[in-house]
Amino acid sequence: DAIEASSFEKSKKEIDGFIGHQEIRDELNKFINKRRIEKRREQSGFEPDMANHIFLFNGSTGTGKFSVSQWFANKLKSEKLVSGKIGTYYAKEVKNQYQDEFAFRTFLEQNSFGVLIIREVHFDTEYLGEILRAVSSNKSGCICICIGLKNKLDIYFKDNPDNRQRINSFFDFKNYSDQQLFEILEHSLDKKRIKYSKDVSDLLFQFVIESNNSQTKDHENGWLIEKDIIPELLEYQAERLSTLDSPKDEDFITLLVEDVRVKNKKRSQSEIFASMDSLIGLTHATNQIKELMNSVAAVKARIDKGLGGE
């Protein structure tokens, strides 16, 4: 039997809610606008463009490639800018049944795809060539999105420029910055309805930076948040809650400072002053440092209010 397309859950996110990839969002929206114009031309009796269009979404793991492809496919389908169904597959599972260009072309002919998403095309770059040749020779009007790891695909296309020419649109998904990862963490915690204070937020940002720059991290980009950071936060929260006799409902959706185990915790000014007061024989020196720190804080407060730093 032919492979059945996996159930395609409609993405509830709008592209404006995605973090990062502003240029990619803009370009995909331009393509959608072109499709709208083409649809109007077809409705006016002009011959529709039936050539397939191949996209390549490449980047490191966890950079949101599949999430964006979901949004893009559902946007095209909901506006009736494609006529066929949406199918999503892993390249490995397709190869198990359709091992070359001619077999894959049969696969396309047997299914009416409006959008075809093929994940992890880097697993066998030679087979990617079979996919590209089959899709580019097909005239059904299908939009094919190939998703894979940039480092492996760059090597393949350098040695196979002819197959690179078959791709209509390239999109490089760059790694997330520390700030973007923090925003992803905030968004994920918000979806879980988890609350936290400003002090906890500051610690979470520091925790993200430490985790993302660790030499021993197991995951990267979005996977770092979902598979490492959030599970660790909830583990320490559970450890704390287990010591309470009767935790309230609010406790289960609240993160406290002790739930965020940063390695180099930044201390508040009051904590720094308290440790300075414990120093013996340095009262005059510590008082001067305190005056300097208070003076700097006062200048910063004036600047923040737009009053200048004088």
Side-chain angles (χ1 to χ4, degrees), residues 26-183:
D26 292 344
E27 290 303 313
L28 290 176
N29 276 314
K30 287 180 183 178
F31 182 84
I32 289 171
N33 286 333
K34 289 178 182 177
R35 277 275 165 160
R36 289 174 180 143
I37 298 300
E38 186 65 29
K39 187 68 175 178
R40 291 175 186 171
R41 284 175 53 84
E42 183 181 351
Q43 292 170 345
S44 298
F46 291 95
E47 188 72 21
D49 179 8
M50 295 303 291
N52 290 353
H53 194 102
I54 303 176
F55 289 83
L56 180 68
F57 288 6
N58 66 161
S60 300
T61 58
T63 48
K65 300 181 294 297
F66 183 58
S67 294
V68 172
S69 72
Q70 283 183 301
W71 169 83
F72 186 44
N74 282 307
K75 186 75 171 177
L76 291 166
K77 185 67 175 177
S78 65
E79 293 194 27
K80 299 181 180 179
L81 300 177
V82 292
S83 56
K85 62 186 178 182
I86 298 174
T88 177
Y89 302 86
Y90 285 92
K92 189 173 184 178
E93 67 174 325
V94 178
K95 184 183 178 182
N96 287 338
Q97 290 193 35
Y98 305 96
Q99 297 185 356
D100 56 32
E101 171 190 347
F102 304 102
F104 194 84
R105 193 181 300 170
T106 300
F107 166 63
L108 294 175
E109 292 169 354
Q110 291 174 342
N111 295 271
S112 299
F113 290 118
V115 182
L116 173 62
I117 300 173
I118 307 177
R119 305 176 69 177
E120 297 185 3
V121 295
H122 58 268
F123 101 97
D124 185 337
T125 50
E126 290 304 319
Y127 184 65
L128 172 59
E130 304 286 347
I131 293 174
L132 295 176
R133 286 189 291 272
V135 175
S136 61
S137 64
N138 186 273
K139 302 298 181 183
S140 62
C142 170
I143 292 173
C144 179
I145 305 172
C146 294
I147 302 174
L149 297 181
K150 178 176 172 56
N151 55 349
K152 295 185 178 181
L153 295 176
D154 281 350
I155 295 172
Y156 172 72
F157 287 122
K158 182 178 180 180
D159 296 332
N160 297 270
D162 287 347
N163 281 333
R164 191 183 195 281
Q165 301 274 344
R166 301 178 191 278
I167 296 174
N168 304 99
S169 302
F170 286 83
F171 291 97
D172 290 335
F173 286 69
K174 300 185 184 305
N175 290 335
Y176 292 116
S177 66
D178 291 336
Q179 178 62 40
Q180 288 170 335
L181 285 173
F182 177 61
E183 291 173 15

Side-chain angles (χ1 to χ4, degrees), residues 16 36 62 97 155 175 189 222 235 254-255 260 268 288-289:
D16 290 339
R36 289 174 180 143
Q97 290 193 35
I155 295 172
N175 290 335
L189 292 176
E235 178 183 344
T254 303
L255 283 179
V260 189
S268 66
Q288 287 184 312
I289 294 173

